[in-house]
Amino acid sequence: MGKMSVELDVFVGNTTIMDEEVYQFWLDGYTVADAVRVRMEGGVLQECEASAEVLHSDTMDQFRTFQMCERLLHCPSKLANQLLFQIPPHRQAMLIERYYAFDDAFVREVLGKKLSKGTKKDLDDVSAKTGITLKSCRRQFDNFKRVFKVVEELKGSLVENIQQHFLLSDKLARDYAAIVFFANNRFETGKRKLQYLSFQDFAFCAVQLINNWTVGAVDNMVEDMDVDLDKEFLQDLKDLKVLITDKDMLDQHKSLVCTALRGKTKVFNEMEANFKNLSRGLVNIAAKLMNAKDVRDFFIDLVEKFIEPCRSDRWTAGDIKLFLTHYTNSVHILDTFKHQVVWDRYMGVVKSCILKMYHD
Amino acid sequence: MPGKLKAKIVAGRHLPVMDRASDLTDAFVEVKFGNTTFKTDVYPKSLNPQWNSEWFKFEVDDEDLQDEPLQITVLDHDTYSANDAIGKVYIDIDPLLSSEAATVISGWFPIYDTIHGIRGEINVLVKVDLFNDLNRFRQSSCGVKFFCTTSIPRCYRAAMVHGFVEELVVNEDPEYQWIDRIRTPRASNEARQRLISLMSGELQRKIGLKVLEMGGNAVVGYLQCFDLEGESGLVVRAIGTACTLEKLSNSSAAAPPACNSPSKDIKESPLAHPPGHGCRSTHSSPVHTASGSRLSQNFSVSVPTLIFTGMRLHRHRSLGETGPEHRPQTVLPGRQCRPPFSEDPNPNTHSSGPSTPLKTQTYSFSPSKSYSRQSSSSDTDLSLTPKTASPPAGPRIFLCPSSPALSTEPPPNHSNSFQLSPGPGTAQRFTPLPLPLSGHQYPPGLRKSVSFSEDLLLAASGMGSGGSAGKEGGPLKTLLRQQTQSALEQRGASSSRIFVRTREFPFFTLTSFPPGFLIHVGGVVSARSVKLLDRIHNPALGNTRSYKLLDWNSFAADEPETRDAWWEEIRQEIKSHARALGCHAVVGYSESTSICEEVCILSASGTAAVLHPKFMQEGCLDGYSDPSRLSRQPATFSAGSEKGEFDIFPQSKDSSAALGLEEPSPPSCGFCHIPYDELNIPFPAHLTYCYHCRRQKVPDVLFTTIDMPAEAAVTGKGCLIQARLCRLKKKAQGEVNATAISNLLPFMEYELHTQLMNKLKLRGMNALFGLRIQISVGENMLVGLASATAVYLTALPTPGGIQIAGKTPSDITYEQHISNMQKKINDTIAKNKELYEVNPPEVIEEVIGSPIPEPRQRSRLFRSHSESSDEVSELDLSHGKKDAFVLEIDDTDAVEDIHSLLTDTPAPAGFYSCNTEIMPGIYNWTSGLQMFTSVRVFRLSNANLTNQGLNKIFNDLCENLLKSLYFKLRSMIPCCLCHLNFTVAVPEDELIQVAVTAVAMTFDKDQAQENWKLGADKTHMKAIVENEEQLQFPLELCTESPSTNPFSPCRGTGLQESANAHATPRAASVDYSSFADRWSSWIELIRLKAQTIRRGSIKTTSSLEKASPLPEGRSRSLRSTRSYAGSTVAVVKMTPLSFIPGTRIIKYLGIINMFFIRETTSLREEGGVSGFLHAFIAEVFAMVRAHVAALGGNAVVSYSMKECVFMENPNKNQAQCLINVSGDAVIFMRESELEATPAPPQTSCSGGEVTT
C-alpha cells in the first residue's frame, strides 16, 4: 500500500445512499477516523467481508454527503424541493428528524439562555461538561437558534409553525416549541436548585404555559404569537393577591382546604401549619409575573416557595396532588373572590408544573 | 422558416443571494437561441422570483433547432455595475422535433454555473411548432429518433435494420484559443460547453441525414464521444445503427413481441438457417493471432495496426530475441492470415493482408494519409466491388509506387516518413467513388472540388464556428452555411454514393437482438492503432492563428478527413477480421480513443457474427444481402470478379446445406455454432459437436462483446471477470513515444487475453459476454483493463481445470510449490463451481456413437511452447485429461500471474456482478434499483515501480473498488451489480483514474433458487414485506411484479417449445409448467397489495395528474405521515440498462446527451478533490433528472458516463472536470399498473424484453 495513495474517492448514487448509523456518528461530531473505529468495533466488517480501507472510504463518502446535505437541512422544506440529491421522502424525514434531534444533556445547559453569540462562545465549556463533542454542540445550538429565528415573529401556533417550517415530528416540534419558548422568555433553568429537573420536565411545563398562558391559548382566532405570555393575563394575576392580603379570605381558604383533607393525608399537620406560607408563595409568584425578571424566576420560585417546603416535610406526590386540587377548588367557594377565571387559568398550569417538578 | 420555438420563463427558486446588503437578488432572465435574445423583466428583491413571462418566440430553421440548444441565462440586475450572471441552463430542443417524443418541455431546471455549480432552479416552458417542409435540399433531419439503447427500443418493432452510420465533426478547442488567455475561466468553460453542445447537435443532425438517405427513421445504439486533442482540436464523433422502427401502437399491440414475427419466420422459412452455413467458407482465416494459440479462436487481436505493423519487422526481431518461448504464440496480425488467403482464388481478399503493412505510414499526417487512404480505398474497393472496376491486384499495384519502401522499411527509415510535410500533392483525398480512378491521384487542384461533399461539410461546419475564434461565430457561420449549401447540392447528385458508402461497414452497435437475428457468433474482433495528433499537420498554426483564419477552408478540409481516414482504416481492419472468422457482420461494435499528449490510441472492437438477412435492408450486410440471390447465382462467386467480396460465404462446400437443406439450429445454442469452416481453420481450434443440439460444431470457448442472447441456454450463474494490466513505458515524445506504445500494445492484448482465459477457466466457465478491453495511455505507462461477464454456456464443452506445469522437474521444493499451487487452483475452481452453481450435466461423455470426434487435445500452452515438462508432453499426446489447461511456470511473471489469479476475491454472499445488461442465470428481478457512479484516482509514489509492482497496485485498486461497491450496497442484498462499466485513465504522470458506473438491482432469492412454488405463497408474502423494509423506495408496488422477469414470459411463450425440446435439464432453469400459475398468483398478490395500500394511502401526489405517470408519487404519500405538500420533485430513475425490471417503457422521449464543465479555484474550501467531484457528479445526475422530468419522463435508461476528465492543481487550489453523459429519457409504467388495463399479462412479453 505504501506505493500508492488514494487521491480521490467518491461514490454517488442516483438515490443518495445514507447509513443511519454513520449519520449518527456524523451528527455526533465524530471524526472519520473515530467513526471508522467505532464501526469496526460494531462488527460491520465481518458482516460484509470488507476491509478497514473499505470502511474508511464509505465513511468518508457519507460524511461528505451529509456535509453537502447540511445546507439543505438548515431549511428542511428545501430538502423536499431540491434537485441535487434524490432522497426518498421517508429518508428525508429521517435526515431532518435526526439532524434536529438534540441531547437532553446539552439542552439542559442552554435552556432558557439567550441564543446569542455569547452563549455560543461558551459551548466549549458545555462540551467539556457534557462530554458531547463541540461540533455536535454547535449544531444543536445553531438548530435552536435557527428555529427560534424563524418562528419568533410568526403568528399562530408555535408547534405548528415549527412543524411546518422544519418538517419535524410532533414530539420534536413540541420540544422545539419548549426550547423557543424558554429562550424567548429566558426562564432560568440553570440554578443549582433546578439541576434535578430534566429537559422533559421543563418541556412539559412549557407546553402548559404555551397552552394556557399565551394569547393564542385563550382565543384561537387571535392572530398572536405563542411565544409570548399573555400580558393582560399577567396583569390580572395581581388581582389574586387578595387571597393572601384579605385575612378573612385566607383563613376561610385554609379552613376549606383543611376540612377537605383531614384524614386523607399523612402530612395533614404539616400542611395545616404551612398553609399560609405555601399559599402566600404561590400567590406571590402570580402577582409578580408581570415583571419580566420574575417571569424568568418562575421555576426557581416554584421550587423555593413550594416544592422545597413540601419536600422537607416529606409530602408525597399524592399529597401534593391532593392539596393542590383542593387548594384550587376551594377558592371557587369563596364568595368574595371575583377572579375565578384568572385563578383557574393560573392554578391549572401551576398545579401541572408542580406535579411534574415534584420528584427527586 | 420551418419552425417556431417558444419559450416561457415562469419562476425561479432557491436563487443565491447576489446582493449582500439586502440578502436578496434582483433576478432577470435572458433567453437566447441562435443570435436572438429576449429578456424578462427584473423581479426585484427575491430569491424566489415569479417572472411569468410572455412567450418568447424564435422563428428558426429546423436545422438550427437541431444544432442549437436553447440558452437560458439567469442574471442579477445591477443598476450601477455590470449585471452578474447567476448561471445558465441549456435545453436541447431535439426531443421536441420528433412527433413521437416529447411535446413540451416544462419543469424546474437547475441553474448551473461552471464555477459555482448549481445555484437555484428555474421553471421553464418550451414548445416547438414545426411547419411541413418539403425542401428537397433538406439539411435537417428532424424526426429521426435517436436511442442510446443498444437493442431495439422496448415499444418499437424493427421493420428494417439499415446498418452502420458514423460521422465526426472537428473544431478548435476553445480552451486552446488565444482568446482563452484573456477571458475568465467561466467564459472559457461556457464557450466550450456551448461549442460541444453545438457540435453534438450538428453531428446528430448529420447522422440523421444519413439515416434518412438510407431510408431509416431512427438510430439505435447511438454512441457519441469526444476526443479532447488539446492543441490540435476537439473531435466529436458518433456511431450508431440506422433502423426503421415502427411504434407498437398501444399496449395491446405491444403484446406480440416486437420481434416475434421475425422469429416465427425463422422457423417457417427454409431460408432462415442457411445463412449460417452459407458463411462457412473454404477459407476462414483468423486474421492474425497466434498460430496455435486459442487466441485465434474467437479473439481477434488485431493488435498493432498502423504503426505497429510498420514496426513489425522490427518487432519481430525483438521478439525473437526475447526468447523462444514467446515466438510461437505471439500475435502477428496480417502475417498469419496470408496462407489461408493464398488458397483463395480471389486475390481481393488480400486486402486484409496488404492493408496492414500499408498502415505503417499512417503514423503521421498528410503524406502517410494519402497512403493510408489508398490502402483503405483498396479495401473499400473490395466491398464495393460490384461497382468498382478496379482490378483485383489493384491495391498492390498502386500502393507500391506510392510507398515503395515503406512496407519493408526498417524503423530508422521509417521514421523519416513521419516528417514528410503535408504537401498539397500528397495530401490527396480518397473518394470511395466507384470511379475507375480509385487509387489514382488527383491533381492537387482538383482536390476540393472533387472532394466528397460530406467530409468537406464536416470540415467546413466544424471549423466554421471555431474559425470565428469567438463565441458568436456569426459571420463565419453564415459562410459555413453557404458552404454547406453548395456542398449539399453536390451531394444531391452523389447520394447513391453515400448510400453505398454507409453500407460499407456491416457493423451494428447493437448488443442484443431480436430472436433469430443473430445466427452465429464468430468471436471478438478488435483493432487498435496508434496515431500522432497532428501538430505537424499545420505547422503554421503554432505561430499565427491568422493562418487558420485565412486559409481555414483548406485547413478544415484536411483535418476531419484525417480523422475519418483513421477510423476508416480501423473499421476496414475489423471488417477483414470478421471475414476471416467467416462472418459477414460485426455486432456489439464500439469505438474509443485514449489520448495522452500528442499520442492517440484508436480502438475498435466488436463481435464477428452472422446475422439473419431477413431483418436487414438489402446490402446492409457485407456481401450477404440475400441468400436467395446467392443461391441463384452461385457462379458469380467462382468467377470471383464482380462479386468478389462474397467470396467467403457462398462458395463454401456446404452452401447447399446452407441454403436450407438443414434444419435450423435451436435458438438456445445456434449462435454458438461456428460460422467458419472447421476443416480450414488455420489455427488449431478445438471444436466439438454442440453439447446442446449435437448437430453442429462449437468452439470450446466463446468470447463476445454483446449481451448474452436471451434465449441462450446457460448453466448456473455468470460472474464478472476482469483482466488488469499495467505496463511501464519510458517517457518520450512524438514518434518515439508512439513507437514505444505500439510495441507494447500487442503484448498487452496478449496478456489481457491470457488473464481472461485463465480467470474464465478458474471459474469453470466457457464463454465471455460484453467483453470490453480498454487500453489507456499515460506518459509513463499503459493501463489495460478488460471486463466481461463469464458464463457457462450449456452448448459449449465443459472447461477443464488448470494444470500447472513447472519448468524444471528436478527441484523438489519447487515441485512442492507447484503442487501446492495446483491444489489451491483446484480448490478455487471447485469453490467457484459451487458459488456460481455451475453443475453441468454429465451426460456428454456417455453418448455412444455420437459424431463427436475423439476428444482432441484441448489444452494449449498459453505461456510457452517449450515442452520440457513431462506433463506437457503427456498432454500433448491428447489422451486422458482432455480439458486440462496448462499454465507453465517458466518465469516469475507466471508465478505472479497465478498469484493474482488466486487473489481475485469473489463477491460477498448475496452479491453477483456482471458487465452485461443482466446476469445470466438470474431471472426474477425485483424493483430495487440503485444506479451509481464511483470514481477513484490513485497516486503512485515515484518509487521505482516494476511492472509487477504496478500490476499488483492496479489489481488491488480494482479489487478494492469492487469491495467498496459491495459494501456500499449491502443493504440491497440479494442483489446484482449489472452493467458494471469500468473506465481507466492515466490523467497524469503518476495518477491512475478508475471510474465505474453500474446499477445494483435486487432480485428474489427464493425464486433464484428455482424452488419457488405456489405453496410458498405465504413465505413469499413475508419476503415482500421484508424486502420493502430494505428498499430505498419502499412500497413500490410491483416489487414482485411478475414481469420483473423479462425472460420467463418469453420462455413461457414463444421460446418455450424449443427450450423444452432442447434444453438440458439443468440449463432450463425456469420451471415452465408452473409459470402460468405462478403468474396469476403474482397478480393476485399484487392486487392484494395494491388494495391495502390504496386504502391506507392518504392521498396521491399531484404529479400523478401530470402527463407522466409517476408511480413513486403514490409511495411517497404512503410512507410519510407528514405531508410534503411543497415537493414538486418527481422521482427519476436512472439505469445503464435498457429496461427497468417490473415496468414497461411506454414512451421514449428523446435522447439525453449532456456535457458539463466544472471548475473551481477554491478546491480546499469545496472539500478537496473528492468533495469537488462528488458535488459535480451529484449535480450532473440532478441536471439529467431535471431534464428528463421536464420532458415528462420518469426514468433514464441506457445511461452512461462517456467521459469524466478530471484535472487538478492542488498547489493552485484549482481543479477542473469535464463530464459527458447520455441516455434515453423514457416514461415507464409499473406492470402492476398496466395490468389494471385489460391487457393480459402475457402481453408484457414485449419484443424488447425478449432481446435482453
Side-chain angles (χ1 to χ4, degrees), chain B residues 941-958:
Chain B
S941 73
N942 46 6
N944 292 331
L945 280 172
T946 59
N947 273 332
Q948 279 160 26
L950 202 56
N951 267 344
K952 169 126 179 38
I953 287 174
F954 182 50
N955 201 49
D956 288 349
L957 190 164
C958 294

Side-chain angles (χ1 to χ4, degrees), chain B residues 102-247:
Chain B
T103 53
V104 63
I105 296 175
S106 164
W108 290 100
F109 292 89
I111 302 167
Y112 182 73
D113 179 72
T114 60
I115 305 295
H116 293 103
I118 291 178
R119 303 172 98 189
E121 289 126 31
I122 185 167
N123 195 310
V124 180
L125 235 97
V126 185
K127 287 181 179 174
V128 171
D129 293 335
L130 276 182
F131 313 137
N132 269 338
D133 177 22
L134 300 174
N135 180 4
R136 63 197 180 88
F137 296 115
R138 246 159 80 99
Q139 293 161 49
S140 75
S141 50
C142 287
V144 173
K145 296 178 284 291
F146 284 78
F147 301 90
C148 294
T149 299
T150 56
S151 54
I152 301 303
R154 301 286 158 144
C155 43
Y156 290 93
R157 187 183 96 80
M160 185 72 83
V161 180
H162 301 273
F164 189 59
V165 279
E166 47 78 31
E167 189 66 273
L168 60 76
V169 294
V170 182
N171 207 320
E172 252 189 290
D173 190 337
E175 189 92 347
Y176 294 87
Q177 282 168 337
W178 63 270
I179 195 168
D180 204 56
R181 291 173 200 188
I182 54 167
R183 66 182 165 193
T184 62
R186 175 181 284 117
S188 172
N189 291 338
E190 283 173 3
R192 232 170 158 194
Q193 281 190 172
R194 187 174 137 73
L195 177 69
I196 290 195
S197 178
L198 272 172
M199 289 170 78
S200 302
E202 183 188 337
L203 191 68
Q204 217 170 306
R205 173 170 59 82
K206 288 180 169 168
I207 290 220
L209 275 171
K210 288 188 173 182
V211 172
L212 291 176
E213 274 159 16
M214 293 164 93
N217 65 2
V219 182
V220 179
Y222 186 66
L223 172 72
Q224 186 200 291
C225 298
F226 58 83
D227 303 325
L228 300 172
E229 295 189 355
E231 292 280 347
S232 63
L234 198 155
V235 179
V236 184
R237 56 193 164 78
I239 56 176
T241 305
C243 296
T244 301
L245 296 184
E246 284 170 8
K247 185 134 174 72

Side-chain angles (χ1 to χ4, degrees), chain A residues 111-336:
Chain A
L111 190 65
K113 281 191 184 148
K114 195 175 177 186
L115 300 173
S116 64
K117 283 198 175 130
T119 314
K120 196 174 177 180
K121 269 183 201 151
D122 298 335
L123 288 182
D124 39 0
D125 294 339
V126 176
S127 168
K129 187 175 168 192
T130 57
I132 298 164
T133 61
L134 182 58
K135 217 180 143 207
S136 178
C137 288
R138 290 203 173 126
R139 171 182 60 84
Q140 298 182 41
F141 181 83
D142 288 342
N143 284 344
F144 295 166
K145 195 172 168 180
R146 192 175 316 110
V147 173
F148 182 88
K149 276 204 151 183
V150 168
V151 298
E152 190 183 23
E153 303 293 321
L154 288 178
K155 298 186 172 176
S157 158
L158 183 56
V159 178
E160 275 171 34
N161 283 339
I162 292 172
Q163 218 169 357
Q164 197 184 335
H165 280 85
F166 292 93
L167 308 174
L168 303 178
S169 66
D170 289 349
K171 167 84 177 68
L172 195 54
R174 254 182 266 121
D175 285 351
Y176 266 92
I179 293 163
V180 169
F181 188 74
F182 269 65
N184 190 52
N185 292 292
R186 309 275 295 285
F187 288 110
E188 176 61 69
T189 66
K191 286 271 162 56
R192 209 173 45 80
K193 283 179 177 169
L194 295 176
Q195 283 308 309
Y196 78 99
L197 291 168
S198 73
F199 168 72
Q200 287 309 326
D201 294 335
F202 285 117
F204 176 85
C205 298
V207 172
Q208 298 303 314
L209 274 95
I210 292 167
N211 288 345
N212 297 292
W213 288 4
T214 59
V215 180
V218 272
D219 188 353
N220 281 332
M221 303 313 286
V222 176
E223 291 227 328
D224 205 337
M225 288 163 285
D226 261 359
V227 274
D228 294 318
L229 294 173
D230 184 351
K231 287 261 153 44
E232 262 179 64
F233 166 67
L234 297 182
Q235 205 69 42
D236 292 345
L237 284 176
K238 277 196 295 186
D239 300 337
L240 302 183
K241 259 199 135 167
V242 68
L243 284 172
I244 47 172
T245 50
D246 184 327
K247 189 146 188 321
D248 288 348
M249 213 181 276
L250 183 60
D251 288 341
Q252 199 180 346
H253 192 187
K254 181 182 173 185
S255 66
L256 283 168
V257 172
C258 288
T259 312
L261 291 186
R262 191 181 312 273
K264 288 183 181 164
T265 169
K266 286 180 180 165
V267 290
F268 181 80
N269 293 334
E270 291 86 341
M271 186 274 290
E272 192 173 28
N274 256 339
F275 182 87
K276 285 185 181 171
N277 269 344
L278 293 174
S279 185
R280 264 189 214 110
L282 291 176
V283 174
N284 275 329
I285 292 172
K288 287 194 299 175
L289 276 179
M290 49 176 300
N291 304 317
K293 161 88 183 58
D294 292 298
V295 169
R296 288 181 202 175
D297 288 336
F298 176 67
F299 293 99
I300 191 111
D301 285 344
L302 285 183
V303 169
E304 285 179 351
K305 301 281 158 48
F306 189 87
I307 293 173
E308 281 184 349
C310 295
R311 193 180 281 146
S312 64
D313 287 343
R314 297 178 181 277
W315 292 33
T316 65
D319 296 333
I320 299 273
K321 188 174 182 187
L322 201 62
F323 170 78
L324 286 176
T325 307
H326 289 282
Y327 176 75
T328 308
N329 293 342
S330 303
V331 171
H332 298 165
I333 306 168
L334 299 172
D335 302 331
T336 46

Side-chain angles (χ1 to χ4, degrees), chain B residues 44 149 166 201 212-213 247 397 450 678 801 815 826 895 930 968 972 997 1003 1029 1103 1149 1156:
Chain B
T149 299
E166 47 78 31
L212 291 176
E213 274 159 16
K247 185 134 174 72
I397 290 172
V450 177
E678 57 176 305
E815 288 281 277
N826 293 346
V895 178
Q930 172 67 283
K968 280 264 180 213
M972 295 179 77
T997 297
F1003 61 89
E1029 294 306 310
S1103 51
L1149 299 166
F1156 300 102

